[in-house]
Amino acid sequence: MATMPNDPVLEGVVTSNGEILIDRRQVALLGVGPGAHVEFVVVSGRPIRSYLGSGDHLGPAPDAEGFRQVKDDLWEGLGQGIEP
């Protein structure tokens, strides 16, 4: 299964005992929490590159409240006016 360009990309570390560690802030942005089941797909032959700093031209990143406001604005009114 290949990833699409808009699929979320998480960066993590594989420890010496084989555990995969991913920062909880990255996971929270996906909307998953403790106990959620996730699937990792290894994509071989694909170079790994960092996106760190790629959005610097857009200004500072919004804080958590700013992200929530953007999410709320995007989903506001979704499904209104739909009847079965």
Side-chain angles (χ1 to χ4, degrees):
M1 175 179 180
T3 61
M4 299 302 292
N6 293 331
D7 284 349
V9 175
L10 303 177
E11 292 189 17
V13 175
V14 178
T15 65
S16 60
N17 63 354
E19 293 177 340
I20 299 173
L21 301 178
I22 299 172
D23 185 74
R24 72 180 73 196
R25 290 172 292 186
Q26 293 183 69
V27 175
L29 291 174
L30 297 176
V32 296
H37 291 266
V38 295
E39 179 179 318
F40 291 94
V41 178
V42 177
V43 180
S44 61
R46 181 174 163 192
I48 298 173
R49 64 180 190 162
S50 174
Y51 292 97
L52 187 61
S54 63
D56 286 348
H57 66 287
L58 300 174
D63 59 5
E65 182 58 36
F67 276 115
R68 276 192 282 284
Q69 185 61 49
V70 169
K71 176 188 66 88
D72 292 345
D73 291 347
L74 288 172
W75 291 98
E76 183 178 4
L78 182 68
Q80 292 179 352
I82 297 176
E83 299 179 15

